[in-house]
Amino acid sequence: MTAPLNPPPPPHHQPPHDAWQAPPAGYGLGHQEDGPGMKTELREAAIIAVAMAVGGLLLGVLWWWLAPHVPLVSDDTTVYLADTEGEQAIGVDGTFTLLALGLGLVSALVVFLLRRGGGIALVVALTVGGVLGSLVAWRLGIWLGPTQDVVAHAKEAGKGVTFDAPLELGAKGALLAWSLSALLVHLGLTALFGPRDPDPFESPYYPQNPQTPQA
């Protein structure tokens, strides 16, 4: 009885798990298809900007309704403030600013609930929409308020009779309050509750503890 002089080599050892195996074909394509395309983002951004501009009508009406009245009086030669120590003019600017800040918060919340993914297009829409809405509100409030012809209004009121000054926005920086509020609130909501990017090291194709194949 004889034994073979050259026994066959043992079968090649295959590691139980190849730590660096290539992902299957098509892996990663799904991530490129996630979320809306560029055209969809631009369309949504345009809708948001237009909606905020239309919302400026509400801001303008509220500003005209809630802003304090600035009393004026005339002596037939000069028109001057009836209350020289009053703070009504400051209150007019403050009312506009507070209302714009509130609408900025609401705008950011609505946009975040509709589009949690965020994106540059939404940031631009909130910025442009807030400015447009503020401009619409500013001009509408002036149009709804007392006439801009102070001299004619003084003659109509008569000597020594108090009348309301035109509705004016002294601090033009208030026109940016809506946009700033919307951007800050949206940034905070996205940072706290927005979706997170997946960690590539947690992928099943890249295990946490790769095994070194034995020689």
Side-chain angles (χ1 to χ4, degrees):
M1 181 176 180
T2 60
L5 296 178
N6 297 318
H12 180 66
H13 175 70
Q14 294 289 341
H17 182 75
D18 189 355
W20 304 107
Q21 62 180 336
Y27 175 72
L29 297 180
H31 296 283
Q32 299 177 1
E33 298 176 356
D34 291 344
M38 180 59 67
K39 291 184 178 180
T40 302
E41 289 187 357
L42 293 178
R43 182 169 60 251
E44 292 177 348
I47 293 174
I48 291 171
V50 172
M52 294 177 69
V54 174
L57 299 175
L58 174 62
L59 175 58
V61 172
L62 291 176
W63 180 45
W64 162 72
W65 182 34
L66 298 176
H69 299 278
V70 180
L72 299 178
V73 67
S74 172
D75 58 2
D76 281 344
T77 58
T78 306
V79 177
Y80 52 88
L81 290 172
D83 184 5
T84 56
E85 297 182 357
E87 299 180 353
Q88 292 88 348
I90 299 176
V92 171
D93 293 347
T95 301
F96 187 96
T97 302
L98 291 177
L99 291 172
L101 291 174
L103 285 177
L105 187 152
V106 173
S107 302
L109 180 59
V110 172
V111 170
F112 177 76
L113 293 177
L114 294 177
R115 276 290 312 278
R116 291 179 177 268
I120 299 299
L122 293 184
V123 173
V124 174
L126 289 173
T127 303
V128 175
V131 173
L132 292 177
S134 297
L135 290 174
V136 171
W138 174 39
R139 302 312 303 176
L140 178 62
I142 291 177
W143 181 74
L144 292 175
T147 177
Q148 298 291 305
D149 192 346
V150 177
V151 175
H153 198 177
K155 292 180 178 180
E156 181 182 354
K159 180 179 179 180
V161 178
T162 301
F163 61 95
D164 293 333
L167 190 62
E168 296 179 351
L169 189 62
K172 297 302 188 291
L175 297 173
L176 301 177
W178 191 341
S179 297
L180 292 177
S181 174
L183 289 176
L184 291 177
V185 173
H186 187 266
L187 177 62
L189 292 174
T190 303
L192 293 175
F193 307 108
R196 299 292 187 268
D197 293 333
D199 188 350
F201 295 102
E202 294 182 358
S203 171
Y205 304 102
Y206 301 96
Q208 295 289 339
N209 298 315
Q211 297 180 0
T212 303
Q214 299 177 358

